[in-house]
Amino acid sequence: MSATAERDEYERLVLDSVDRFLEKDVRPYAMKLEHDDTYPEDIVARMKELGLFGCIIPQEYGGLGLRPSTYAKIIERISAVWMSISGIINSHLIMSFIVTKTGTEEQRKRFLPKFATGEIRGGLALTEPDCGTDLQAIRTFAKKDGDHYVINGTKTWISNGIHGSAFALLVKTDKDIEPRHKGTSLFIAEKGPGFTVSKKLEKIGYKGIDSAELVFDDYRIPAANLVGGVEGRGMTCAITGLELGRLNVAARGVGIASAALDEAVKYSQQRKTFGKPIHQHQAIALKLADMVTKVHASRLLVEHAAAAVDRGERCDFEVGMAKLFATEAAVENALECMRIHGGYGYSKEFIVERLYRDAPLLVIGEGTNEIQRIVIAKRLIENNPI
Ligand SMILES: Cc1cc2nc3c(=O)[nH]c(=O)nc-3n(C[C@H](O)[C@H](O)[C@H](O)COP(=O)(O)OP(=O)(O)OC[C@H]3O[C@@H](n4cnc5c(N)ncnc54)[C@H](O)[C@@H]3O)c2cc1C
C-alpha cells in the first residue's frame, strides 16, 4: 500500500470511530446536557480516549497527526450532532497548533505530549473586555523580571476558561513600539497563583462549554513559556493559530447548516397540511432547494480551504471565504429550518431551536464576518493589481 493510501485508510478509520462515538456517546445526551448547561465530563473522557485532544498534533509528539482537512471533517461531524463539544477541542488545538508551528523545540517537547493526551487542556486567551477585533489594543501587560515575567490584565469570553488549565495568552510586552503588533507576545500560561477565573459568562447558546473571564494579578510566568522564545511575535503566533480556528468555525458552519437541512427534510415529509406533506408545497420545496445548495457550496469551500491549510500555504483568502459563506449558511439554514417546523420550531423539544441559538456565534467567533469580508476584499485587490 502506498504511503498516501495508508494515510487515507488511517484517516478513514479515525472518522469512522468519531461517527460511532457521536451516535453512541453524544447524540442521546446532547439535548439534556445543553439545556441544563452541564459540562459534558463523560464525553470529554471519551474524547481523551479517542485521542481527539491531539488529533492535529504530530505523531512524534504523541498526537494522531491528522491533516487539517481531516480535522475539518471531524468538526463538521461533531457540530452536526452538538456544536459545543467542538469548542472543547478547538481552542485547545489552536493552542497546540501555535506551539507546533511557532514554539521552540523545547516547548514542543514539554507541552505537546500532555496536550495530546488531554492531561493539559485549555484554549486561547486573546479577547479583553475593551477589545476583540482590534487585538493590538490589548492592555494585558507582561513585565520582565529576571527569568520570569509578571502579568497583569483581564481576558474575557475565554472558551474552556473554567475547565482548562493552560492558555495561549496574548499580552503586550512593549506598550509604545510601532507598529503596535511588534509590542505583543504570546505565552503558554498554566493556572497558578495570580491567575484566577473571575466569572462564568452566560450565553444564549453554545451551552455545556464554559466561557469565562480570566484575571491575571501579578501572575508570575517563566520566560521559558514565551512562545518561540522571542518577544514581539505575539500577533504572528495568534494569527497562525487563528487560521486553523477559522477553518474549524467554517466546518462548524457546514455541520450546523447540514443538520438544519436534515431536520427540515425529515419534518417536511412528516408534517401534512391541506392533505399533503409540506415539502409538496412549492414555498417549502424552494426553501429546501436553497438549503441543500448552501450545504454543498459550503462544504466545497471548506474542502478547498482545508487543502490549502494542508499544503501549508498562506490561505487567509480561502479560509476567509469558507468561514464567511459556511457560517452565513448555518444562520440562514437554521432560520429556514425553524420556519419549516412552524410552531414546533419554537419548541425546546425539537433540535432546531438549538441550531438557531448556536449558529450566530459562528459569524462572530475567530474573526467576525465583517472582518472576513475586509480580508477577502484586500487579498482580492492585492492579487489583481492593475
Ligand atoms: C461564545 C464565545 C466564545 C468565545 N471564545 C473566545 C476564546 O476562546 N478566546 C478569545 O480570545 N475570544 C473568544 N471570544 C471572543 C470573540 O473572539 C470576540 O467576541 C470577537 O473577536 C469579536 O470581538 P468583540 O466582541 O470585541 O467585538 P468588537 O471588536 O467590539 O466588534 C463589534 C462590531 O464591530 C465590527 N467591527 C470591528 N472592527 C471593525 C472594522 N475594522 N471594520 C468593520 N467592522 C468592524 C465587528 O465585526 C462587530 O460587528 C468568544 C466569544 C464568544 C461570544
Side-chain angles (χ1 to χ4, degrees):
M1 202 189 264
S2 72
T4 309
E6 243 177 61
R7 186 197 56 205
D8 290 349
E9 175 62 7
Y10 167 63
E11 296 193 343
R12 193 186 61 73
L13 290 173
V14 173
L15 290 173
D16 284 350
S17 64
V18 168
D19 285 337
R20 283 195 300 276
F21 152 69
L22 289 169
E23 290 312 318
K24 181 168 167 285
D25 300 310
V26 181
R27 198 184 293 281
Y29 309 104
M31 192 180 274
K32 176 148 178 47
L33 288 166
E34 204 271 349
H35 285 167
D36 295 347
D37 198 8
T38 305
Y39 187 74
E41 301 279 4
D42 293 345
I43 290 175
V44 170
R46 278 292 292 138
M47 286 161 82
K48 270 190 186 180
E49 284 167 14
L50 288 168
L52 291 180
F53 286 97
C55 63
I56 51 114
I57 293 176
Q59 290 179 344
E60 59 188 297
Y61 301 106
L64 297 184
L66 300 179
R67 289 172 297 169
S69 53
T70 307
Y71 173 54
K73 288 180 188 156
I74 292 177
I75 293 301
E76 179 191 330
R77 283 162 158 80
I78 291 178
S79 303
V81 178
W82 185 20
M83 189 181 90
S84 294
I85 62 170
S86 71
I88 294 175
I89 52 172
N90 178 44
S91 52
H92 169 84
L93 287 171
I94 295 178
M95 173 171 68
S96 308
F97 196 67
I98 289 172
V99 173
T100 305
K101 298 282 179 193
T102 63
T104 61
E105 185 53 23
E106 184 280 323
Q107 288 167 342
R108 283 192 275 272
K109 284 190 176 134
R110 183 154 51 100
F111 289 117
L112 293 179
K114 289 182 181 164
F115 289 174
T117 57
E119 180 188 335
I120 299 182
R121 297 200 309 277
L124 184 67
L126 309 179
T127 305
E128 298 189 356
D130 290 331
C131 63
T133 304
D134 182 12
L135 283 176
Q136 297 181 51
I138 57 168
R139 291 200 207 151
T140 300
F141 189 71
K143 189 171 184 303
K144 190 100 195 274
D145 181 20
D147 56 0
H148 279 69
Y149 283 80
V150 180
I151 299 185
N152 283 286
T154 303
K155 295 286 175 183
T156 194
W157 279 119
I158 308 308
S159 304
N160 302 315
I162 296 169
H163 292 273
S165 62
F167 296 82
L169 174 66
L170 187 69
V171 300
K172 276 268 163 94
T173 37
D174 187 333
K175 289 177 190 166
D176 305 317
I177 197 169
E178 289 290 340
R180 291 182 299 162
H181 71 85
K182 290 202 169 153
T184 61
S185 299
L186 196 105
F187 287 86
I188 299 301
E190 297 188 75
K191 280 187 180 160
F195 176 169
T196 50
V197 177
S198 53
K199 65 177 169 206
K200 178 184 175 196
L201 303 171
E202 299 298 333
K203 298 163 292 192
I204 60 170
Y206 199 46
K207 291 176 185 271
I209 174 173
D210 44 319
S211 305
E213 186 171 274
L214 308 178
V215 172
F216 300 86
D217 182 8
D218 284 340
Y219 166 70
R220 285 181 71 78
I221 185 168
N225 286 22
L226 172 63
V227 175
V230 189
E231 283 183 18
R233 297 186 54 228
M235 280 303 292
T236 309
C237 297
I239 288 166
T240 302
L242 286 176
E243 218 152 70
L244 185 79
R246 280 180 192 151
L247 182 65
N248 165 295
V249 173
R252 289 191 208 186
V254 184
I256 295 275
S258 70
L261 172 70
D262 290 350
E263 294 302 314
V265 166
K266 251 188 293 169
Y267 189 77
S268 66
Q269 294 176 77
Q270 290 160 350
R271 183 71 171 175
K272 288 189 177 140
T273 67
F274 301 93
K276 53 186 177 185
I278 59 172
H279 72 88
Q280 288 182 15
H281 300 302
Q282 199 177 49
I284 300 295
L286 296 182
K287 285 186 193 298
L288 294 174
D290 285 347
M291 289 169 78
V292 70
T293 306
K294 283 176 196 165
V295 169
H296 278 272
S298 302
R299 193 173 283 128
L300 289 172
L301 276 169
V302 171
E303 281 173 12
H304 179 69
V309 181
D310 282 357
R311 290 192 298 272
E313 292 168 2
R314 175 175 180 180
C315 49
D316 48 352
F317 186 62
E318 291 78 5
V319 175
M321 288 193 296
K323 197 264 179 186
L324 170 64
F325 192 87
T327 59
E328 296 291 345
V331 171
E332 289 159 13
N333 276 11
L335 178 59
E336 289 297 54
C337 180
M338 182 176 273
R339 290 180 170 198
I340 289 170
H341 278 71
Y344 290 109
Y346 213 62
S347 155
K348 289 184 94 171
E349 288 177 26
F350 285 74
I351 287 167
V352 54
E353 64 88 25
R354 167 158 48 91
L355 303 176
Y356 178 78
R357 287 182 291 107
D358 281 351
L361 171 61
L362 303 178
V363 307
I364 299 167
E366 315 292 351
T368 65
N369 281 5
E370 287 77 17
I371 296 302
Q372 300 310 318
R373 285 186 169 95
I374 290 168
V375 171
I376 293 163
K378 198 170 158 207
R379 293 276 283 126
L380 178 68
I381 300 297
E382 274 170 20
N383 291 342
N384 294 280
I386 52 167

